[in-house]
């Protein structure tokens, strides 16, 4: 059962999805639901003997259309709404042992075209206001299926973090007449000490305000609000810098590096022109602060929303910059 | 970049889309894509949007 419950204290929706309690949890390798369906083998989610990139609706979705009637009655204090929207799984390799860092740049480029197609398709639906493309990687993040895959949540509202970013960017523009993200890009290109990599169209930086020791943001150098705004050269450059960042992560301590990869872009309730003050970007949140130690979201972070970073961005950026991007 | 796609409807009604890249696909990947029979699209059901309640003059930003 899934529904939206309104939190009046934070003015945000919470999704309850009780059916997800029993979702697939670390199946044995020969029962991998994201592998191709081999002849004589167990039928997986993908009814084909091989595939390149497959996208399908999640079997245990937090959002679906049409949504079920909420299980509780709404009140004026605590409204309830159906959990309309879409949750999709993006399988970008048939190889269960692969990951984004191991994909050739060309394959990542193909994945970008798929992300664009899903953004356009899901964003065109009347019930969808925001298309969130992301990847959870690693047991430490809470992944329950280890086959490489990303996800897409098409929300019927603009989620809180996006709303906060949009508000900050809009107020900055109204106050200064300049785009916030352009000023950030210009500063990082000028100071250089937080750059991890750059190419003709993108920079990868550990931001001045990083909350995780190795948090990397990928930003387009020019103003682009959504993945659908990039031309073919920019998509190619985006693939190259995603490869660079994920490969550096794996090379840092010679192990597969867990992270959350979150794509932030304009809502789909308007056009890129409507959100010209904002900018597409990708954020990586890796939980490890040393090879053995995790950064936990404890009291200050989870309870007060104030992150504590035990490192300086300038130092960890230097470390990542000095790490090979070859895998 | 050349890209093709086929959408099918799984037995439980969920949508699945195969993406195919003719310029880089292996022989088995091309064969698997060619063997896939796409579904005929059904119209999407009408839904209502979850708007934020309880804030005066609320806008998304």
């Amino acid at each position: 059962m899934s529904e939206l419950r309104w939190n009046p204290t934070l003015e945000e929706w919470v999704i309850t999805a009780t059916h997800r309690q029993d979702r697939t949890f670390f199946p044995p390798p020969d029962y991998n639901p994201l592998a191709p369906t081999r002849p004589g083998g167990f039928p997986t989610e993908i009814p084909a003997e091989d595939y390149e990139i497959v996208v399908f609706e999640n079997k245990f979705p937090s959002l679906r259309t049409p949504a079920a009637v909420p299980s509780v009655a709404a009140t004026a204090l605590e409204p309830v709404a159906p959990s309309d929207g879409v949750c999709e799984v993006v399988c970008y390799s048939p190889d269960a042992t692969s990951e984004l860092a191991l994909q050739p740049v060309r394959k990542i480029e193909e994945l970008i075209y798929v992300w664009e197609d899903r953004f356009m398709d899901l964003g065109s639906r009347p019930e969808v206001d925001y298309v969130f493309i992301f990847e959870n990687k690693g047991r430490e993040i809470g992944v329950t299926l280890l086959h490489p895959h990303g996800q897409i949540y098409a929300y019927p509202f603009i989620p809180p973090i996006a709303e906060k970013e949009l508000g900050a960017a809009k107020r900055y523009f109204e106050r200064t007449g300049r785009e916030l993200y352009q000023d950030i890009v210009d500063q990082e290109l000028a100071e250089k000490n937080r750059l991890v990599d750059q190419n003709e169209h993108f920079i990868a930086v550990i931001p001045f305000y990083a909350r995780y020791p190795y948090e990397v943001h990928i930003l387009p150098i020019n103003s682009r609000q959504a993945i659908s705004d990039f031309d073919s050269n920019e998509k190619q450059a985006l693939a190259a810098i995603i490869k660079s960042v994920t490969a550096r992560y794996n090379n840092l301590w010679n192990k597969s590096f867990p992270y959350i990869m979150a794509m932030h872009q304009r809502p789909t309730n308007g056009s890129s022109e409507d959100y010209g003050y904002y900018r597409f970007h990708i954020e990586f949140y890796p939980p490890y602060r040393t090879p053995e130690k995790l950064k936990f979201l404890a009291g200050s972070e989870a309870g007060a929303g104030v992150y504590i970073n035990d490192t300086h961005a300038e130092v960890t950026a230097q470390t990542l910059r000095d790490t090979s991007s070859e895998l | 970049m050349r890209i093709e796609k086929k959408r099918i409807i799984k037995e439980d009604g969920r949508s699945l889309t195969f993406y195919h890249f003719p310029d880089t696909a292996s022989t088995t990947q091309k064969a698997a894509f060619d063997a896939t029979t796409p579904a005929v699209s059904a119209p999407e059901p009408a839904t209502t949007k979850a708007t934020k309640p309880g804030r005066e003059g609320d806008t998304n930003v």
Side-chain angles (χ1 to χ4, degrees):
Chain A
M1 190 62 69
S2 181
E3 66 213 8
L4 306 182
R5 296 189 178 195
W6 181 250
N7 177 351
T9 68
L10 294 177
E11 294 187 320
E12 63 186 30
W13 291 107
V14 172
I15 302 173
T16 63
T18 58
H19 57 285
R20 285 178 57 78
Q21 275 280 48
D22 297 323
R23 68 186 185 274
T24 313
F25 187 84
F26 294 118
D30 51 347
Y31 284 93
N32 175 7
L34 304 187
T37 298
R38 307 292 186 196
F42 133 89
T44 72
E45 286 279 26
I46 299 141
E49 294 182 25
D50 201 352
Y51 66 84
E52 296 151 84
I53 299 178
V54 167
V55 180
F56 59 89
E57 290 178 306
N58 197 318
K59 193 171 185 177
F60 303 92
S62 304
L63 304 162
R64 73 183 340 152
T65 300
V69 174
S71 63
V72 294
T75 64
L77 176 66
E78 292 168 335
V80 174
S83 56
D84 281 306
V86 185
C87 289
E88 293 184 337
V89 178
V90 182
C91 294
Y92 54 81
S93 172
D95 179 359
T97 65
S98 190
E99 56 176 270
L100 211 54
L102 297 176
Q103 294 291 296
V105 172
R106 176 61 186 232
K107 287 295 180 186
I108 299 175
E109 191 182 347
E110 291 172 358
L111 177 57
I112 291 169
Y113 278 88
V114 172
W115 286 338
E116 178 187 32
D117 186 70
R118 300 319 307 143
F119 175 79
M120 299 290 285
D121 180 4
L122 296 171
S124 70
R125 300 186 189 187
E127 73 274 23
V128 174
D129 265 359
Y130 194 88
V131 177
F132 179 49
I133 298 168
F134 64 99
E135 179 172 354
N136 296 326
K137 182 196 167 195
R139 291 171 184 259
E140 299 87 339
I141 298 298
V143 163
T144 55
L145 288 174
L146 295 178
H147 190 110
H149 67 283
Q151 296 184 62
I152 304 176
Y153 274 37
Y155 297 105
F157 51 83
I158 299 173
I161 290 177
E163 197 172 54
K164 207 167 181 181
E165 284 188 350
L166 289 160
K170 190 176 187 187
R171 287 187 294 275
Y172 188 89
F173 184 79
E174 289 169 346
R175 195 168 66 246
T176 67
R178 298 191 308 276
E179 291 178 37
L180 171 62
Y181 289 90
Q182 188 61 59
D183 281 0
I184 290 170
V185 167
D186 290 345
Q187 175 169 281
E188 296 301 345
L189 286 172
E191 296 185 5
K192 300 189 190 311
N193 56 353
R194 286 179 295 275
L195 282 177
V196 172
D197 198 359
Q198 69 178 101
N199 59 33
E200 184 183 354
H201 297 292
F202 291 90
I203 62 170
V205 297
I206 295 187
F208 177 76
Y209 38 84
R211 296 156 301 166
Y212 296 85
Y214 292 96
E215 176 176 350
V216 171
H217 293 192
I218 294 175
L219 295 119
I221 291 173
N222 297 314
S223 179
R224 303 286 184 265
Q225 286 67 49
I227 195 164
S228 51
D229 297 334
F230 296 125
D231 64 24
S232 58
N233 290 329
E234 289 168 327
K235 287 187 176 80
Q236 214 168 53
L238 179 57
I241 208 159
I242 288 174
K243 170 80 175 186
S244 167
V245 170
T246 55
R248 288 172 196 269
Y249 274 159
N250 279 12
N251 284 332
L252 182 61
W253 295 320
N254 293 313
K255 67 175 185 180
S256 182
F257 210 67
Y259 55 70
I260 295 168
M261 182 186 74
M263 190 177 298
H264 291 182
Q265 53 192 327
R266 65 160 173 84
T268 55
N269 64 352
S271 69
S272 288
E273 288 69 34
D274 297 330
Y275 292 100
Y277 51 83
Y278 185 66
R279 188 166 299 198
F280 168 102
H281 61 281
I282 296 175
E283 300 187 2
F284 288 86
Y285 316 135
Y288 276 101
R289 53 188 179 91
T290 75
E292 299 84 25
K293 295 176 184 171
L294 288 164
K295 173 182 170 52
F296 292 98
L297 301 189
S300 184
E301 290 88 355
V306 177
Y307 279 72
I308 299 170
N309 187 346
D310 300 335
T311 64
H312 274 166
E314 296 76 19
V315 173
T316 51
Q318 176 77 60
T319 304
L320 270 186
R321 210 163 45 240
D322 292 344
T323 302
S324 171
S325 62
E326 299 296 319
L327 267 184
Chain B
M1 177 175 293
R2 291 192 299 157
I3 175 173
E4 298 172 25
K5 63 179 181 178
K6 288 183 184 177
R7 178 172 168 264
I8 68 169
I9 304 299
K10 292 162 67 65
E11 286 179 359
D12 58 6
R14 287 181 292 143
S15 171
L16 181 149
T17 304
F18 288 95
Y19 289 86
H20 174 55
F21 300 87
D23 297 330
T24 58
S26 69
T27 309
T28 56
Q29 288 169 340
K30 181 182 184 315
F33 183 78
D34 289 344
T36 299
T37 304
V40 175
S41 294
E44 295 290 340
T47 60
T48 54
K49 195 173 286 190
T51 54
K52 286 179 183 281
R55 283 206 301 202
E56 289 291 333
D58 182 82
T59 57
N60 279 329
V61 178

